[in-house]
Amino acid sequence: ECLYFLEENDLIVTNNNHLQATPLGQLVSRMYIDPLTAVTIVEDLKKASQSNMELTAFSLLQVICKTPDIRTLYLKGDEYFENLNYADDHKNEIIIFPDIDEISEISAESFVQSIKNARILLDWIEEYETKDIVEDYSIGEGDLHSLSESASWIAHAIQRISKLKGFDIQNI
């Protein structure tokens, strides 16, 4: 199953019973990211490109935050509905917006957690005070630091993958 996944997603090819990494597979290996992260990035950028969607910083932050390389920050109290409402208000910025009623509870919660994380990162890159972000989202400073470091790493991966695959994200 693993080899099938890698081959189906253009990470490896089979030549005469030998496995060989594709350019995307080599990049994923060099950048030390989860192959599923790369697949998520490629699928989302492809969908955005095909729909001529105008990507925003929030669009890419949400893609970053739904990858397995980003540790999710848990939802507390009313945060599920608060972030779901935010997502609904910004659905034109979300590349793949799932039908919450049609997906599993775990998938719905993961989607909403990615929205929360993306909002935190958006506030961070817009240079809100750390103390305000920590207070507004009920997180620790270490959580913010860890999230921003991981997101920076995945943002670099998005840039490299988009260049390799020919997706234009330069104006964001």
Side-chain angles (χ1 to χ4, degrees), residues 120-133:
I120 291 168
L121 289 170
L122 188 61
D123 286 354
W124 180 74
I125 64 172
E126 290 180 352
E127 299 184 354
Y128 283 52
E129 294 290 326
T130 298
K131 67 178 180 61
D132 293 334
I133 296 171

Side-chain angles (χ1 to χ4, degrees), residues 156-172:
H156 179 68
I158 286 179
Q159 181 183 36
R160 299 279 306 273
I161 290 169
S162 67
K163 183 177 179 182
L164 177 72
K165 293 298 218 175
F167 298 118
D168 182 19
I169 61 165
Q170 298 308 315
N171 296 329
I172 301 171

Side-chain angles (χ1 to χ4, degrees), residues 62-100:
Q62 196 269 329
V63 172
I64 289 168
C65 291
K66 71 182 194 177
T67 66
D69 283 309
I70 298 293
R71 184 176 65 88
T72 56
L73 298 175
Y74 296 101
L75 301 167
K76 299 171 187 149
D78 292 336
E79 287 183 332
Y80 180 88
F81 294 106
E82 176 188 331
N83 285 286
L84 189 57
N85 287 335
Y86 183 92
D88 196 49
D89 291 344
H90 294 85
K91 68 172 59 173
N92 62 324
E93 296 180 75
I94 299 170
I95 299 170
I96 298 177
F97 196 104
D99 183 344
I100 298 298

